[in-house]
Amino acid sequence: MRTISQTGERSVAAGSGVDLEIARTTLIATTQELAAALANAAPTLQISQERAFAVAIADVKGGIVAIDNPQQLGSIAQSVAHVVGYFEFDLTEGDVILTNDPYTGGTKVQDLTLLAPFIVNGELVLHLAVRVRIRDIGGQLGGNLYPAASEILAEGVPFTPVKIERAGRPVRDMLAAFLLNGRRPEETRRILDTARAALALGQRRLAEIVAGQGLALTRAALKYAQDYSERLARQAISEWKPGSYEGTRLLELDAAAGGPVAPVLDRKSVV
């Protein structure tokens, strides 16, 4: 069990706004450090060059607190919330959970979401999440890009949340079953190893943060960061001018998938 001596415990009473802001930016910096480590160690160009991944910190209920890649915010938030609910009473220190189910937050079967709880003195404090893209997980075509697919299994094999590490020990049969379903098992294994290493690094960095600033301030910073983001979002929305807006995007699908498709966003009024 992780035990942390909180030599730097600080007050979170009124007037501690500076400490909370420092703690908030420290959490953001942590996701950025983990993202850099993940990109540097990744075995594929999709991750190292295209940066097809995300690193996030979430509260105990799965609400996102900090993320390095805002484009992934909506989808990873749903995935994390689903995993947290799925294992609500079955999370222990050293667990790592894997899912790629696109119907519970994932964008496609090639995107793997890994989650690890951060537990201090036997108490759940927050969650760490990493999303990485692999190049194949079964399906009718290699690469899982099949526009003509009429069911999810034609694109790839979805996995509901499963533990690939339990109390710090690999669940080898589950890992083997997952890797067996793809055409690039060794490459996928290396990507998983890289993602798990990023989670392990995150656990160490968070332990240092708690030891330095205290558990109470760290907990308060989670809510402070979410409130800060909400204020920014509300401010941005308030600047939208009233009116009607529409948009069109052309999806260049081949003839087998029905040809090009142009989704249109109906006019919506902003009051």
Side-chain angles (χ1 to χ4, degrees):
M1 183 177 70
R2 177 183 291 107
T3 302
I4 296 177
S5 176
Q6 301 169 37
T7 58
E9 185 73 40
R10 302 178 184 176
S11 171
V12 295
S16 60
V18 173
D19 285 342
L20 287 170
E21 180 62 17
I22 292 173
R24 181 188 73 85
T25 55
T26 300
L27 293 173
I28 294 174
T30 299
T31 64
Q32 295 171 342
E33 179 189 359
L34 301 185
L38 181 60
N40 290 336
T44 63
L45 292 178
Q46 280 186 313
I47 298 175
S48 63
Q49 299 294 325
E50 300 174 17
R51 299 188 69 82
F53 67 88
V55 178
I57 294 173
D59 62 20
V60 294
K61 295 182 179 180
I64 301 300
V65 173
I67 187 169
D68 78 298
N69 183 358
Q71 289 183 336
Q72 298 265 9
L73 175 59
S75 60
I76 200 171
Q78 293 183 50
S79 293
V80 170
H82 177 71
V83 171
V84 170
Y86 195 91
F87 285 100
E88 184 176 4
F89 302 107
D90 189 23
L91 284 174
T92 59
E93 186 176 344
D95 287 353
V96 175
I97 297 149
L98 166 73
T99 183
N100 71 331
D101 188 353
Y103 292 109
T104 57
T107 54
K108 53 180 73 69
V109 288
Q110 305 101 302
D111 286 345
L112 312 182
T113 301
L114 290 83
L115 179 138
F118 178 68
I119 296 174
V120 176
N121 302 333
E123 187 176 357
L124 178 63
V125 178
L126 51 81
H127 300 282
L128 273 169
V130 170
R131 171 167 290 175
V132 290
R133 183 166 299 170
I134 60 175
R135 294 200 284 180
D136 189 90
I137 184 65
Q140 192 161 339
L141 295 179
N144 308 128
L145 299 176
Y146 186 31
S150 59
E151 61 176 1
I152 187 64
L153 291 177
E155 292 189 340
V157 181
F159 275 73
T160 57
V162 293
K163 289 189 179 184
I164 59 172
E165 287 189 28
R166 188 184 299 273
R169 297 177 63 86
V171 184
R172 300 187 186 281
D173 54 349
M174 187 57 65
L175 278 169
F178 178 78
L179 295 171
L180 183 65
N181 281 279
R183 297 177 178 88
R184 297 171 176 265
E186 289 307 314
E187 178 182 279
T188 300
R189 184 191 300 276
R190 293 198 300 271
I191 293 173
L192 284 174
D193 288 344
T194 304
R196 290 156 65 190
L199 289 174
L201 175 60
Q203 296 273 0
R204 295 196 297 273
R205 291 292 180 265
L206 289 170
E208 293 168 1
I209 291 171
V210 171
Q213 66 188 19
L215 185 56
L217 181 59
T218 302
R219 286 187 180 277
L222 304 180
K223 181 66 166 58
Y224 173 82
Q226 291 170 330
D227 291 344
Y228 180 89
S229 298
E230 181 179 352
R231 290 196 302 272
L232 291 182
R234 289 184 178 275
Q235 180 180 352
I237 293 172
S238 69
E239 295 174 357
W240 292 357
K241 296 181 180 179
S244 297
Y245 301 86
E246 62 180 14
T248 302
R249 179 69 180 267
L250 180 66
L251 302 180
E252 298 179 355
L253 304 180
D254 58 28
V261 177
V264 177
L265 177 65
D266 291 336
R267 293 191 175 189
K268 299 294 182 182
S269 296
V270 178
V271 180

